[in-house]
Amino acid sequence: MSESAEHSPKPGAPKPGAPGAPKPGAPEPTGADLARSALRAARAQAKQRGEQVREKREAKRHGLRSGARSDGRDPVPLGAALNRLLTERGWESSAAVGGVMGRWPQIVGPDIAAHCHPSSYDEAAAVLTVQCDSTAWATQLRWLARQLVARLNHELGHGTVKTIKVLGPAAPARGYGRLRAPGSKGPGDTWG
């Protein structure tokens, strides 16, 4: 055998000075040492492949499963879920005004609530329209409008209601009799 063949590295062996290469003067690894290092490398590769398979499986499920710590996917109480939905969609003021419609007697008191009820809310102008069953209650509510606006804004948040539009009782539709003069505009046409 020639001298150059003895000192040349074996095919597939690491080059001298490379990481994982035997140190010069150190004994060459024996069969058992080579088997242990091969087993360690195989275990590391299997572990890496197992993690890749697990990640692919979880990606197919559209996300990770919930673990020991809480996150956004965990169950939450219904009230908290509704509050989050209202906040995300920007429905807070609409929900608050809807709450006023339901809690009207608690906000204004039983006397006013018995004779006046909210009929509509214009969010753009922040105007609450209230319908009263008599002109006397409509006048009374107009006198109390400033206090009601302050109370409603305290309940709903500042600036939710700027004005209250008070409507009196709705007049019955004008009914015309069976006999009517042609071209007549009803009872008011005789007065000028």
Side-chain angles (χ1 to χ4, degrees), residues 174 184-192:
R174 262 192 191 159
S184 172
K185 294 180 183 170
D189 72 344
T190 59
W191 299 99

Side-chain angles (χ1 to χ4, degrees), residues 35-178:
R36 282 189 201 106
S37 65
L39 181 61
R40 265 185 259 135
R43 282 183 179 163
Q45 288 176 349
K47 186 176 181 181
Q48 184 180 10
R49 273 184 274 150
E51 287 179 14
Q52 290 173 349
V53 168
R54 185 179 57 83
E55 287 174 4
K56 284 182 183 178
R57 198 175 293 148
E58 288 175 356
K60 285 182 182 178
R61 289 184 193 152
H62 302 290
L64 302 172
R65 289 188 296 180
S66 182
R69 294 190 178 100
S70 63
D71 59 5
R73 299 166 297 175
D74 287 339
V76 294
L78 182 61
L82 286 176
N83 286 338
R84 188 170 66 189
L85 178 69
L86 291 174
T87 303
E88 287 173 358
R89 302 284 171 106
W91 295 340
E92 292 108 344
S93 64
S94 300
V97 171
V100 165
M101 303 286 188
R103 294 182 304 133
W104 181 252
Q106 288 88 9
I107 294 173
V108 298
D111 292 335
I112 296 175
H115 299 283
C116 306
H117 64 276
S119 59
S120 66
Y121 175 71
D122 181 14
E123 192 171 351
V127 175
L128 179 67
T129 305
V130 178
Q131 180 80 41
C132 296
D133 62 0
S134 69
T135 54
W137 276 103
T139 304
Q140 182 69 23
L141 200 64
R142 285 186 189 103
W143 281 96
L144 297 172
R146 209 176 263 204
Q147 294 170 349
L148 283 177
V149 168
R151 177 81 188 261
L152 290 168
N153 283 329
H154 176 72
E155 293 280 329
L156 304 173
H158 183 68
T160 306
V161 177
K162 291 183 180 173
T163 58
I164 293 180
K165 182 179 178 182
V166 180
L167 301 177
R174 262 192 191 159
Y176 297 106
R178 287 184 11 228

